[in-house]
Each structure stands twice: as C-alpha cells, then as structure tokens.
Amino acid sequence: MLDSRHGFTATRFFNFNGIAMKRNALIALTALLSLTCLSAPSLAQEKPVRLIVPFSAGGPIDVTARILAEGVRDALGPVIIENKPGAGGNIGSDLVAKAAPDGTTIGVATLASHAVNPWLYKNMPFNAATDFEPITLMVRVPNVLVINTDLAKQRNIATLADLIDYAKKNPGKLNYGSGGNGSGGHLAGEMFKREAGVDIVHVPYNGGAPAQLALLSGQIDFTFDNLATASPNIRSGKLTALAVTTAKRSSELPNVPTVKEAGLDNFEVDTWWGLVAPAGTPKDVIAKLNAAFTATMRDPAVQKRFAGLLIEASPTTPDAFGKLMRGELTRYEAIVRNAGARVD
C-alpha cells in the first residue's frame, strides 16, 4: 500500500509538474506574441489613411484621388476619401494643415489652394509655405485658349495671332470669361492681356460650367479652360482651340501650337494637383507614402485610366514637388496682384 501510495503520489506530482511546465510555456509564448504585435503591427491593425479632397465629389480632382486611393490599398491599407469643398480649396486644406502629423491624414494640394489663394484671400486659415510636407505631384493639366467657332469665323480669327491683331484693332470689344475672380482662367486672361498688350474685358461667372455655357452660346468670345473640360466641344467643332498654355504641345491636340510658339515668349500656365501631409510628418512616413503613390501612378492600368480623363500622371520626389509649390507660390504673387483680384 505504501509503495502503491508513493507510486500514485509520484505519478500525480509528475503530471501536475508537466501541466505547470506547459502552462508556463504558454504564458511565455503569449507574452512573446504580444511583444511581436506591438513592435510590428499589421496593416489591418493600423488606422486607415484619410485623403482629404478640398473640392466636391465627382470632379476631375476627386476622380483622380479615388483612382490613386484604390491603387495604393495593398501598400497602405484602406484609404478613405473625404470631400471637404469650400473657399477655393481652403476649408479642406486647413483640415490637413491642422491634422496630426502621423501620416494618417493627407490631402490634395492644387494650384488654387497652395499658390493662388494665399494672395487672393485677405485672411488665410493656413500658411501654404510652412504648414505642409510635400509627398508627390499627381498631375499637370494643360489649359487651352478656346474661342466660339461661329464668332471666330465672323471675325476671321483662325490663329492666336489673328486674335491678338483683332484685339489691338478693336480695344475693349473682345471679352473673355472665367469661373470667377481669381480663378485660373481669370489669371491666365490677365497674363495674356499683359503679354499681348491688348485691351480685353474680363467677365467672371460663378464656376467653370456657367462660363463654358456662355462661351458656347456666344455671350463671351473666348476662355482659358482646362483641356479635359474643353476637349469634347473642340472635337465637335463648337469651339476652336487657338493655343495651349503649357511649355509643350498636348498629345490630345498635336496640331495646336503653344502660346509661346504663337509669339508670347513669357506665357506659360497649367493646372497641377499633388499630395501633401501636415508639417512635421516624419520623413520615413513621407517616403512610404511617396513610394506607394508614385508606384501606382506608374502602373500602366492607372495611366490608361488617367488618359481617359485627358490628364497625365506626373509622379515626383517630395523635394521636387516642394520646389514646384514654392516656385508657383512666388510666381503667382505678382500675377494675382497685377490682376487686382481679391476675395475678402
């Protein structure tokens, strides 16, 4: 009995000791896994990226952002588009400027919000030069000088030189429309007025669409519009393209000269959109965002979708995009002031 009892007791002790060893091993494994999760969280555990588009849903900037958000999902996880329109892009851009600089909130920066508005608005809610970290340029969109085809025929205007000659012989009789005071079309018109030495009248509208309708109906003579918007009416013959405003010709309109080719050496205007993060976002985070978005922009499938929108992907380094933004901010100070445009 004693031996039996001792044997039984020894067996019980052995079993309990084994359980204890297994339990200790399980605790150690759990602790190790916890540390591993803390040191290298999975994409599924990270916060999704908010991409703030400071303009309404459905427009070309919004569509471009959504194409890119879809393309970077594998690299960054979910990217949620938030449309925050208003004040020419200032409302949405201000949200980006004041967000936590951790890479979870980024935004679309445009020529309007980051180069024109600082000189156009008396009170800006953010500093375009210091409140953002550049990530990458997204696209550069050509603008095109288009004239109502019927009016052009009536006045024998077939080229930009013809338009300038007519304007000089008939001061104050030609007018051009835009989407409003301080808009890209307005500023391009003022640059043209100065460089060509002509007296033309600016007619502002409440947005680009009303300006285009006025042009098609003959209420105004010409506009500086973006190529994506103007192209369908150029193809239909309702509008005649006299010149593109970029440094080189557009592949969409290879037979249309640049304004510079037509004789105005100092005239170059285009529209650009890019991505920015709040100032102070770590450089390694910026590098990760840049790598994801530029890789997507180089994807042939994405480039094909962009081509359907008549825009061209223009991926850059953060430094290159920062240099572009600083240069445009400086350049548009003089342009806005010479135009006398203000929004109070």
Side-chain angles (χ1 to χ4, degrees):
M1 293 289 295
L2 183 62
D3 291 341
S4 173
R5 187 176 68 251
H6 286 175
F8 177 73
T9 301
T11 302
R12 285 182 63 192
F13 178 77
F14 177 81
N15 288 341
F16 286 166
N17 198 34
I19 293 171
M21 290 174 64
K22 291 179 180 178
R23 182 184 176 200
N24 289 339
L26 182 60
I27 292 172
L29 180 59
T30 302
L32 179 62
L33 288 173
S34 297
L35 288 172
T36 302
C37 289
L38 286 173
S39 62
S42 66
L43 285 175
Q45 292 173 310
E46 292 179 352
K47 292 172 62 177
V49 176
R50 298 167 65 212
L51 174 48
I52 295 177
V53 177
F55 297 95
S56 300
I61 297 175
D62 175 68
V63 173
T64 301
R66 291 178 188 276
I67 291 173
L68 294 181
E70 180 183 330
V72 300
R73 180 177 293 271
D74 288 344
L76 302 178
V79 176
I80 300 172
I81 301 291
E82 293 187 15
N83 296 94
K84 301 292 183 181
N90 287 352
I91 291 175
S93 296
D94 187 44
L95 290 174
V96 177
K98 292 177 172 57
D102 58 6
T104 60
T105 299
I106 61 176
V108 175
T110 69
L111 172 69
S113 61
H114 283 67
V116 175
N117 289 357
W119 314 116
L120 187 64
Y121 286 78
K122 185 177 181 180
N123 297 306
M124 285 288 289
F126 58 85
N127 188 315
T130 61
D131 287 351
F132 303 89
E133 300 287 350
I135 298 172
T136 179
L137 179 66
M138 294 183 350
V139 299
R140 301 192 78 156
V141 184
N143 291 338
V144 58
L145 192 166
V146 285
I147 188 169
N148 180 291
T149 297
D150 290 338
L151 293 179
K153 290 178 180 178
Q154 292 171 17
R155 297 166 179 173
N156 295 317
I157 297 174
T159 66
L160 183 60
D162 292 338
L163 178 68
I164 294 172
D165 183 62
Y166 185 92
K168 286 183 175 180
K169 292 177 179 177
N170 299 275
K173 291 187 178 181
L174 280 181
N175 55 53
Y176 74 98
S178 79
N181 285 315
S183 65
H186 175 206
L187 298 179
E190 291 301 309
M191 287 178 64
F192 173 72
K193 181 178 179 179
R194 185 181 72 246
E195 295 298 324
V198 294
D199 178 11
I200 54 178
V201 179
H202 174 229
V203 182
Y205 288 86
N206 187 25
Q212 187 180 67
L213 288 174
L215 178 62
L216 291 170
S217 64
Q219 297 176 42
I220 54 177
D221 298 310
F222 66 95
T223 63
F224 289 87
D225 205 349
N226 69 72
L227 180 58
T229 302
S231 184
N233 289 311
I234 295 172
R235 288 196 295 264
S236 71
K238 296 177 181 178
L239 300 179
T240 298
L242 298 184
V244 293
T245 63
T246 41
K248 62 180 183 179
R249 295 192 182 197
S250 166
S251 58
E252 177 69 14
L253 300 172
N255 296 322
V256 176
T258 67
V259 174
K260 186 174 182 178
E261 287 175 329
L264 302 184
D265 290 339
N266 297 317
F267 192 101
E268 183 181 336
V269 179
D270 65 358
T271 300
W272 51 261
W273 317 322
L275 293 171
V276 293
T281 301
K283 289 188 179 298
D284 61 330
V285 175
I286 295 293
K288 179 180 179 181
L289 291 166
N290 176 271
F293 280 101
T294 56
T296 298
M297 283 187 270
R298 293 187 180 100
D299 183 341
V302 170
Q303 293 181 350
K304 184 176 181 180
R305 293 179 70 181
F306 277 17
L309 299 171
L310 299 181
I311 59 176
E312 184 176 345
S314 303
T316 63
T317 64
D319 287 345
F321 183 39
K323 183 178 180 180
L324 170 68
M325 288 198 296
R326 290 189 298 271
E328 292 285 83
L329 182 62
T330 299
R331 185 164 80 103
Y332 273 89
E333 178 181 11
I335 294 172
V336 173
R337 288 181 177 174
N338 287 336
R342 294 291 294 177
V343 176
D344 297 320

